Amino acid sequence: MKKINLIFLVIIVLCQSCIRNLDLDLNFEPKLAVYSVISPNGNPEVFLYESVPFELQTQNFKVKFVETAKVYISDESKTVELTGKRYYTKNFFNGLFDPEKDYDSSEVFSYKGEFKFLPGKTYFLEILYNGETIKSSTTIPEKVQLNSTTLQREEKLAGNGEPYFEDKLILNFDDPKSILNYYKYSVSYNQTVIVDKQIGVDTITGLPIFVKDTNNLQYRYLYRKYIPDQDLNGDNTYNFDGQNHAFEFLISDKINLFNNPDYVFNVRTVLRNYNKSIYDYKQTSDDQSDEIGLSDPFTEPILIKSNIEGGLGIFSSFCDSDPIIVTYDP
Amino acid sequence: MRSIFLVLLILFCTALSGQDIVKLSFKIVNEVDRKPIVGILIRDDSAKIGDLTDEQGEISFKVPKGRYQFETYFVGYTTQYFDIDLKNDTLITILLNEGIALDEVVISELKTQIRNNIESAQSGMIEIPIKEMSKLPVFLGELDILKSIQLLPGVQSGTEASTGYYVRGGGADQNLILLDGAEIYNPSHAAGFISIFNMDMIKDATLYKGGFPAKYGGRISSILDIKTKEGNFEKWETNLGVGLVTSRVTASGPIWKNKISFLGSFRSFYSYSLFRGFSGKEKRASLPKYFFYDFNGKITWRVSERDKLFVSFYSGKDNVGFSDNSTIDSAQYDIPWSNLMAVTKWNHQFKKGLLSELSFIYTTYNFNFGFKNIYSENTLKSGIKDFRIRYDFEKKIREGQALKFGTYFSNNTFSPNITKQNFNKPLEDSTDSPPTTVNQVHLYGDYDIKINEQWSISTGLRMPVFIHPQKTYIGLEPRFLMKYQINNNVALKTSYTLMNQFVHLLSASTASTPLDLWIPSSDIVKPQKAQQVSLGYFQNFGNDKYELSVEGFYKALQNQVEYKEGANIFKDPNIDEILTFGKGWSTGAEFFIRKRVGKFNGFAGYTLGWAKRQFPELNNGRPYFAKYDRRHDMTIAINYEINKHWSFSSLFVFGTGHSITLPEGQYFVHSGQGWFGNQYGYDYGNKNSYKLRSYHRLDIGLCYKRVRKHSHSELRLDIYNVYSRLNPFFVALVQTVDPKTNKLNFKLREYSILPIVPSISFNVFFGKS
């Protein structure tokens, strides 16, 4: 129900006779698309792809890995060259895209190396490819610790009068005012991530941010004063105040253990603080995917945000809190 | 009063002597009261003689004996011709019919229009030659003031045949349109194809592109000041017009003879209803429904010699409705919008020459967007209520010096976005955004000084105070204009102005629609600001018959407002949170040449311009060309009066195509979370880096006029786009299925809406001629 659709519809109804197909004469030049997100928890990995012409065809999109680039990560004191390598991974493309002909859908190519990253420091990416230099930089956000993670069980009554238990997980942390915060919290159980939500409070602009839940593609929030409770699976509307935050959500539907009340298990929680650039990249790429700008002449297309000088994509960073592991022992 | 014509009578010729050089004298008097008429232009083009009648309504020329073809020129009226075989000193007395007795305003206009571009320090201003424009070919028989101004240099049109316009690289919302002093927020009928201004009602219009007098404020790119006519104080007249698109009826006459007059006009769109009526039943059900009407009225009361009171009224409404049955959950759309305006003005002349005008102005603009299907019902409403009081003063201090000052207070209520999402719930469960009320107080003063014959200066200052519940803004807007007159026919002018704008139009669409939202400045949305400098060369030549100007400008824009990419007012109803702010700048040069009088008259304009914008959150923060950045824009308009019945006109326009953004490449967008969320993205390159094909077309028009004792009629044949150029209206990448491979493809399609469009229209005026 986009307004541009209805304008388009009216015009098309009235002006069927004045349509002609045009040849596309586009100024295509292949560009390097970068994806790399670094953190103090791990070593760098850089994916490089080459853009392909817009060929008026959307099916069988070919992923073109770049294998011949020189990739360097550096800070003020040292530079490390990353080494390109092909390796297997599970369901990376999942049949949605075709890698190049000598790859299969379980193979990827990336550049890796060893580098120790620290919160608050700026790191530089430099790529030499086809005689050109592509650059970017990112500053790793400060670590924001979780104060506590609490599991809480409440007895409730179902519609038929039967009692049942509702299990809540409550994460509590203090939001520093001095930094931009694009948070995500991660809850895992037996090494499987069961909740992977992104949240954020911009303490500079004072505006709260809720970054899209990647498991729930239908929601898209830019800047809102509050997060409706249904989006957090909590009971209350959550109002950000830029100070202390406690996120509360049900995990009963994530870990269904009611049939085995004696089962004891551990839940691992982490608060991840993202650099804004990755938020912008993800948000705009999701927006572009959601919108119908290609076929709608009256709407402005969405350009995917990038921080790569001379290329496309993203070089960004995050910093995880120390994990808190709580034991579920009913 | 278009139908009024001149009765020319040569009363007597007096033979005095047989010399080679003879004296030719004219005297022009009112047919009824025999009072002289000032400011009538009488000229012979080929003999290069001509001038205006003096206070006695007289004018004389010493010319060789021979044959002369004189023409009389009245601003806005049909030029009249007569032949004289001059053998002796001759006095010709011309009696003007009562109906064409020009009032003082028109006489003043005649003088000022011809010499204004040289004599005045004002630059960046064009008095719209409505009657000259009315001779040019028109689209579907509809003369339209907004389409007329698109022909002027420095003014670019929006989409094909639309009334939207862009001035000197500014946005569409940066143009203030005043109708008798009331602000018009949406001047369009029929999605912009027709403006709300009924030409039967318009007396004059002035467009300011720069060098804004301090009297005007509130917009940063242009001011269009439209004034309506007064009714006839002497007798009743009616005018009927029948066109392919609309029909109208206008009536004018005295309620109290010589004291109170009335002028009213009703216009209605009916042709599409006829078109639907002729369609088959099945097809009719799928066609959109549309209608509009508008009504203008004005009552003028000459209270005394020093006082005049008038009430002006406008009401207009549009309604679009259609169904989309292409999906299983078929949807119904209903989109009405309306304008209402009422103005009361009291003009008073104080004893010491101080003129005042007190105005009470009320305006409302409303639109609804209604959508419903089996799952939900959405209503988006936007409205503005505007009440203001103005008090303007003007005093001529001494010769060459004038002071203008005044103030106004306004109270504006904006209901920019009320979204009711009703997913199978009662309507009362929906949420309404509260309206926002803001107040404004503006003070201004202008002082015009003619230092000597060469130098003139106009200085002004305006102080707007904008009061929002969360934030108050106070501005200071200096205005400075200077003229250096090199000789009697050549002048150089320069100007500097600073303007603030406290209301903003949000448009997620590149087409002008009533769905665009007006919002006021707030603590988040700062006022738009523009500084503009200009330098111009102005020249009259050929005994003021020709007018030439070249004017360059540079305009810097701050606090520009746009939606963020991907913002959707239905998903993000808190408008403040989906906006982004940036800056812009534009520069260019405008060339204009005009021949005002003679059988063969017209004008040509050319603009070379650049317009750019830069928003941190758009186009990855890089500057980009504005949507309506247009490198070249040209108009050539010609009118030829064949004889007293027939006239021919033609119009050629050319413009660089609009900017568009197209995907150049595709690339893999990595989600970083395994396979889930991976996708391909489009690389659009730079925003607005492509241009649609150039726009050009030729229109021609033929007009036949016939004058009778109690009526006069006009039959027009106009052909829009004679060589049927399929100009691009927009392009779209349309997804299709290849029938052979069954694969999805995109095709780049260009849509044009108006090939050759002939039209015929008929106007008849009833009243004593």
Side-chain angles (χ1 to χ4, degrees):
Chain A
M1 196 205 60
K2 295 181 173 65
K3 65 181 183 179
I4 29 92
N5 279 343
L6 70 94
I7 296 164
F8 189 64
L9 186 67
V10 171
I11 290 169
I12 297 307
V13 166
L14 296 176
C15 311
Q16 281 293 342
S17 62
C18 305
I19 299 171
R20 67 177 194 163
N21 291 326
L22 296 178
D23 292 327
L24 269 181
D25 185 16
L26 300 171
N27 304 323
F28 174 75
E29 286 181 9
K31 291 180 188 168
L32 199 66
V34 179
Y35 182 84
S36 180
V37 183
I38 60 173
S39 84
N41 297 2
N43 284 311
E45 182 175 19
V46 177
F47 293 87
L48 297 180
Y49 311 96
E50 196 171 79
S51 66
V52 297
F54 181 82
E55 290 179 334
L56 305 178
Q57 187 166 319
T58 56
Q59 290 181 334
N60 301 319
F61 175 79
K62 302 284 185 188
V63 178
K64 193 174 180 181
F65 286 106
V66 170
E67 300 180 3
T68 58
K70 296 279 187 186
V71 181
Y72 302 94
I73 292 274
S74 61
D75 60 11
E76 293 164 349
S77 59
K78 68 171 181 177
T79 301
V80 169
E81 181 177 357
L82 307 185
T83 307
K85 188 180 175 184
R86 183 191 299 200
Y87 64 94
Y88 286 91
T89 187
K90 186 182 177 185
N91 287 333
F92 188 78
F93 297 111
N94 202 36
L96 291 171
F97 312 105
D98 286 346
E100 291 168 291
K101 59 183 178 182
D102 55 342
Y103 283 81
D104 65 33
S105 63
S106 299
E107 286 183 314
V108 294
F109 188 96
S110 69
Y111 296 82
K112 292 182 179 178
E114 292 190 357
F115 206 107
K116 182 63 182 169
F117 299 111
L118 297 172
K121 287 197 69 177
T122 301
Y123 297 92
F124 303 91
L125 174 69
E126 186 172 288
I127 302 164
L128 305 179
Y129 178 61
N130 280 351
E132 293 189 6
T133 303
I134 291 102
K135 291 181 178 177
S136 187
S137 65
T138 185
T139 299
I140 297 181
E142 296 292 342
K143 181 183 286 189
V144 179
Q145 296 285 24
L146 283 169
N147 295 334
S148 64
T149 302
T150 311
L151 275 166
Q152 202 173 77
R153 164 166 284 199
E154 287 181 22
E155 187 172 347
K156 301 224 167 178
L157 290 176
N160 58 8
E162 291 290 320
Y164 72 98
F165 291 106
E166 198 173 75
D167 295 283
K168 287 180 182 175
L169 189 68
I170 303 166
L171 286 72
N172 185 291
F173 70 99
D174 292 319
D175 169 35
K177 274 190 171 291
S178 59
I179 57 171
L180 281 170
N181 302 311
Y182 289 84
Y183 296 123
K184 170 181 175 179
Y185 61 91
S186 175
V187 181
S188 56
Y189 153 67
N190 286 353
Q191 296 186 336
T192 301
V193 175
I194 55 169
V195 177
D196 189 25
K197 280 182 177 292
Q198 297 178 21
I199 53 175
V201 181
D202 182 339
T203 52
I204 290 179
T205 64
L207 295 170
I209 295 156
F210 179 72
V211 183
K212 181 170 134 178
D213 174 2
T214 54
N215 288 315
N216 192 353
L217 291 172
Q218 62 181 312
Y219 292 124
R220 180 173 60 83
Y221 296 98
L222 296 173
Y223 293 89
R224 286 245 177 135
K225 298 289 186 196
Y226 62 87
I227 298 174
D229 58 347
Q230 64 267 27
D231 294 338
L232 282 178
N233 296 326
D235 289 329
N236 303 308
T237 295
Y238 196 91
N239 288 296
F240 285 96
D241 57 8
Q243 300 290 319
N244 179 270
H245 302 284
F247 289 97
E248 179 179 296
F249 58 92
L250 293 174
I251 61 169
S252 305
D253 55 341
K254 308 291 182 187
I255 311 170
N256 186 3
L257 301 168
F258 301 119
N259 294 331
N260 186 4
D262 297 329
Y263 191 91
V264 176
F265 62 94
N266 294 326
V267 173
R268 182 180 187 272
T269 55
V270 170
L271 184 68
R272 179 167 290 180
N273 186 11
Y274 272 107
N275 186 293
K276 182 177 183 295
S277 58
I278 187 69
Y279 164 79
D280 291 337
Y281 170 78
K282 286 177 175 294
Q283 189 68 57
T284 51
S285 59
D286 288 344
D287 287 346
Q288 190 190 73
S289 177
D290 290 348
E291 291 297 316
I292 55 165
L294 274 180
S295 57
D296 192 321
F298 293 111
T299 189
E300 293 291 339
I302 295 164
L303 278 61
I304 298 174
K305 285 193 176 173
S306 168
N307 65 348
I308 308 294
E309 288 178 39
L312 306 164
I314 191 72
F315 175 56
S316 190
S317 54
F318 65 84
C319 185
D320 278 348
S321 69
D322 296 335
I324 292 181
I325 297 171
V326 290
T327 302
Y328 187 89
D329 184 2
Chain B
M1 299 295 286
R2 167 186 314 182
S3 59
I4 295 170
F5 73 104
L6 174 71
V7 175
L8 207 173
L9 184 63
I10 300 175
L11 284 182
F12 62 95
C13 300
T14 308
L16 294 175
S17 67
Q19 58 207 3
D20 291 336
I21 299 296
V22 294
K23 185 178 179 184
L24 173 62
S25 303
F26 293 92
K27 184 174 181 67
I28 299 183
V29 295
N30 186 297
E31 185 188 29
V32 177
D33 55 17
R34 302 297 165 123
K35 288 181 180 175
I37 302 176
V38 189
I40 305 298
L41 178 64
I42 298 176
R43 68 196 315 162
D44 182 327
D45 287 351
S46 55
K48 297 183 178 178
I49 54 174
D51 211 336
L52 304 175
T53 55
D54 61 16
E55 298 296 324
Q56 305 305 314
E58 295 175 355
I59 187 172
S60 297
F61 307 103
K62 286 188 175 177
V63 294
K65 292 177 181 174
R67 196 167 188 89
Y68 293 88
Q69 279 191 316
F70 276 93
E71 61 186 25
T72 59
Y73 182 75
F74 311 91
V75 168
Y77 297 91
T78 306
T79 303
Q80 303 294 323
Y81 309 94
F82 49 95
D83 293 338
I84 303 167
D85 188 5
L86 198 60
K87 294 175 180 171
N88 304 298
D89 288 356
T90 304
L91 171 64
I92 299 174
T93 300
I94 300 172
L95 299 183
L96 293 188
N97 176 286
E98 274 187 6
I100 63 157
L102 304 178
D103 63 26
E104 290 180 6
V105 177
V106 176
I107 292 167
S108 167
E109 278 173 4
L110 176 63
K111 288 180 175 175
T112 52
Q113 277 190 10
I114 288 176
R115 295 290 302 169
N116 202 30
N117 61 327
I118 302 297
E119 304 288 348
S120 165
Q122 181 69 52
S123 59
M125 183 267 286
I126 299 179
E127 289 168 333
I128 314 296
I130 291 173
K131 295 302 176 184
E132 287 176 35
M133 294 290 192
S134 71
K135 295 172 184 172
L136 297 177
V138 291
F139 175 59
L140 293 175
E142 292 290 321
L143 177 63
D144 199 304
I145 183 77
L146 297 188
K147 288 178 185 168
S148 294
I149 68 167
Q150 292 171 2
L151 304 175
L152 301 172
V155 184
Q156 277 97 50
S157 59
T159 50
E160 168 116 47
S162 82
T163 53
Y165 63 97
Y166 300 80
V167 178
R168 290 185 171 177
D173 67 325
Q174 295 167 358
N175 306 318
L176 175 64
I177 301 176
L178 298 171
L179 180 62
D180 281 338
E183 194 167 333
I184 302 298
Y185 290 95
N186 181 1
S188 300
H189 286 306
F193 285 101
I194 299 169
S195 83
I196 65 166
F197 303 110
N198 181 341
M199 296 303 288
D200 279 358
M201 293 294 298
I202 295 177
K203 184 179 84 177
D204 61 49
T206 305
L207 177 72
Y208 295 89
K209 302 178 289 182
F212 304 102
K215 180 181 180 182
Y216 299 107
R219 295 287 198 284
I220 59 175
S221 278
S222 80
I223 311 290
L224 178 61
D225 191 359
I226 300 172
K227 292 187 173 69
T228 57
K229 295 174 185 170
E230 293 179 358
N232 195 320
F233 285 88
E234 299 287 336
K235 62 184 188 301
W236 281 94
E237 306 160 327
T238 54
N239 192 3
L240 299 176
V242 181
L244 287 179
V245 179
T246 67
S247 285
R248 64 191 188 282
V249 57
T250 304
S252 171
I255 296 173
W256 179 3
K257 195 168 184 180
N258 291 323
K259 275 285 186 185
I260 301 175
S261 74
F262 168 81
L263 174 64
S265 187
F266 180 81
R267 183 171 63 152
S268 177
F269 175 93
Y270 60 90
S271 12
Y272 188 64
S273 303
L274 289 178
F275 173 64
R276 281 174 54 84
F278 288 120
S279 304
K281 192 176 179 183
E282 284 186 11
K283 189 172 182 181
R284 188 162 59 233
S286 65
L287 286 172
K289 298 170 188 168
Y290 178 69
F291 79 89
F292 81 74
Y293 72 84
D294 56 33
F295 172 75
N296 287 80
K298 188 169 183 178
I299 294 173
T300 310
W301 179 19
R302 291 172 177 165
V303 182
S304 70
E305 286 189 354
R306 292 181 178 274
D307 296 277
K308 187 159 77 173
L309 189 73
F310 76 75
V311 178
S312 179
F313 177 82
Y314 171 86
S315 175
K317 186 172 183 182
D318 290 59
N319 199 357
V320 180
F322 64 96
S323 302
D324 177 8
N325 298 315
S326 59
T327 58
I328 192 167
D329 52 337
S330 60
Q332 176 68 39
Y333 296 88
D334 191 33
I335 311 166
W337 69 97
S338 62
N339 281 292
L340 177 72
M341 174 213 92
V343 177
T344 301
K345 287 194 178 188
W346 172 45
N347 292 304
H348 177 69
Q349 184 177 351
F350 292 90
K351 285 186 177 174
K352 292 189 176 178
L354 178 66
L355 304 173
S356 72
E357 183 173 85
L358 178 63
S359 311
F360 298 89
I361 301 164
Y362 177 74
T363 313
T364 63
Y365 165 62
N366 290 297
F367 87 78
N368 292 340
F369 173 82
F371 160 82
K372 84 178 164 187
N373 62 13
I374 57 174
Y375 307 116
S376 66
E377 181 177 323
N378 287 260
T379 305
L380 189 148
K381 293 182 181 176
S382 178
I384 303 172
K385 280 185 188 171
D386 191 352
F387 175 71
R388 65 181 65 184
I389 303 171
R390 287 191 69 107
Y391 209 2
D392 300 294
F393 298 89
E394 185 174 341
K395 181 165 174 59
K396 189 174 179 180
I397 307 294
R398 58 178 68 89
E399 190 59 37
Q401 293 188 35
L403 176 66
K404 296 168 192 168
F405 60 96
T407 182
Y408 89 74
F409 165 81
S410 75
N411 175 278
N412 319 100
T413 302
F414 292 81
S415 308
N417 180 19
I418 300 174
T419 306
K420 296 180 176 178
Q421 292 190 314
N422 179 19
F423 294 92
N424 295 325
K425 290 179 180 176
L427 201 60
E428 45 274 17
D429 288 352
S430 58
T431 55
D432 282 9
S433 304
T436 303
T437 298
V438 298
N439 294 297
Q440 296 187 58
V441 179
H442 290 223
L443 300 168
Y444 77 88
D446 252 332
Y447 196 50
D448 302 335
I449 314 164
K450 185 176 180 180
I451 299 169
N452 54 37
E453 289 304 315
Q454 280 78 44
W455 292 95
S456 295
I457 291 175
S458 177
T459 58
L461 186 67
R462 186 180 181 90
M463 190 178 78
V465 180
F466 178 86
I467 305 158
H468 182 274
Q470 269 86 48
K471 180 85 175 175
T472 296
Y473 293 99
I474 301 174
L476 273 181
E477 302 177 356
R479 319 283 173 88
F480 179 79
L481 298 92
M482 187 169 67
K483 181 205 74 171
Y484 174 68
Q485 194 164 329
I486 296 172
N487 58 41
N488 190 46
N489 291 318
V490 179
L492 294 175
K493 299 181 190 179
T494 187
S495 72
Y496 166 81
T497 57
L498 190 153
M499 305 281 275
N500 284 288
Q501 179 167 333
F502 300 99
V503 293
H504 319 273
L505 184 68
L506 300 176
S507 176
S509 162
T510 56
S512 173
T513 76
L515 293 171
D516 299 341
L517 295 177
W518 284 100
I519 60 165
S521 288
S522 64
D523 51 336
I524 295 171
V525 184
K526 294 177 182 168
Q528 297 184 54
K529 190 173 283 190
Q531 295 181 78
Q532 186 179 163
V533 290
S534 69
L535 177 65
Y537 172 89
F538 298 81
Q539 182 175 4
N540 280 8
F541 56 99
N543 199 18
D544 287 336
K545 194 186 294 180
Y546 297 93
E547 173 187 329
L548 169 76
S549 66
V550 180
E551 195 168 3
F553 67 90
Y554 177 81
K555 185 158 64 178
L557 308 164
Q558 293 172 264
N559 303 330
Q560 301 299 284
V561 190
E562 294 278 3
Y563 278 127
K564 287 175 181 169
E565 286 168 351
N568 185 318
I569 50 177
F570 287 101
K571 289 180 181 174
D572 309 288
N574 196 339
I575 290 172
D576 287 349
E577 298 175 8
I578 55 174
L579 303 179
T580 184
F581 307 96
K583 62 183 179 181
W585 55 95
S586 59
T587 186
E590 300 160 358
F591 304 83
F592 187 59
I593 185 164
R594 169 157 66 175
K595 181 173 184 283
R596 283 175 177 272
V597 294
K599 285 186 175 182
F600 185 83
N601 57 66
F603 63 89
Y606 169 73
T607 306
L608 176 67
W610 290 262
K612 283 199 161 187
R613 299 287 185 274
Q614 187 173 21
F615 286 70
E617 297 198 60
L618 302 179
N619 197 38
N620 278 314
R622 298 186 298 262
Y624 60 91
F625 286 112
K627 187 77 189 170
Y628 290 97
D629 164 75
R630 192 170 294 177
R631 198 71 58 251
H632 308 284
D633 193 75
M634 185 174 71
T635 301
I636 300 172
I638 293 167
N639 178 58
Y640 182 65
E641 306 269 354
I642 301 167
N643 56 39
K644 67 178 184 179
H645 292 300
W646 290 94
S647 65
F648 170 81
S649 59
S650 72
L651 174 67
F652 176 75
V653 293
F654 173 88
T656 309
H658 296 156
S659 305
I660 55 169
T661 309
L662 290 173
E664 295 173 347
Q666 288 169 281
Y667 63 103
F668 185 70
V669 175
H670 197 308
S671 76
Q673 297 183 24
W675 65 270
F676 196 91
N678 286 339
Q679 58 195 335
Y680 59 85
Y682 296 113
D683 173 21
Y684 283 95
N686 255 335
K687 186 177 171 74
N688 289 342
S689 57
Y690 290 87
K691 293 277 186 188
L692 294 178
R693 288 187 301 132
S694 296
Y695 179 97
H696 56 87
R697 68 165 209 273
L698 174 70
D699 306 338
I700 58 172
L702 195 61
C703 181
Y704 176 78
K705 289 179 183 174
R706 187 165 182 183
V707 179
R708 291 180 175 169
K709 190 174 181 183
H710 293 290
S711 70
H712 116 235
S713 57
E714 179 186 272
L715 182 66
R716 294 186 67 125
L717 172 66
D718 294 294
I719 304 177
Y720 180 91
N721 197 1
V722 171
Y723 52 87
S724 200
R725 156 92 171 172
L726 289 177
N727 285 301
F729 187 63
F730 59 80
V731 294
L733 283 160
V734 181
Q735 207 166 34
T736 59
V737 178
D738 186 329
K740 292 179 182 173
T741 62
N742 217 26
K743 285 183 176 176
L744 288 174
N745 286 297
F746 276 118
K747 284 192 184 302
L748 184 64
R749 278 191 181 158
E750 183 184 85
Y751 293 80
S752 305
I753 56 169
L754 295 171
I756 183 170
V757 182
S759 64
I760 190 162
S761 57
F762 180 70
N763 289 296
V764 60
F765 169 86
F766 298 102
K768 188 183 174 187
S769 297

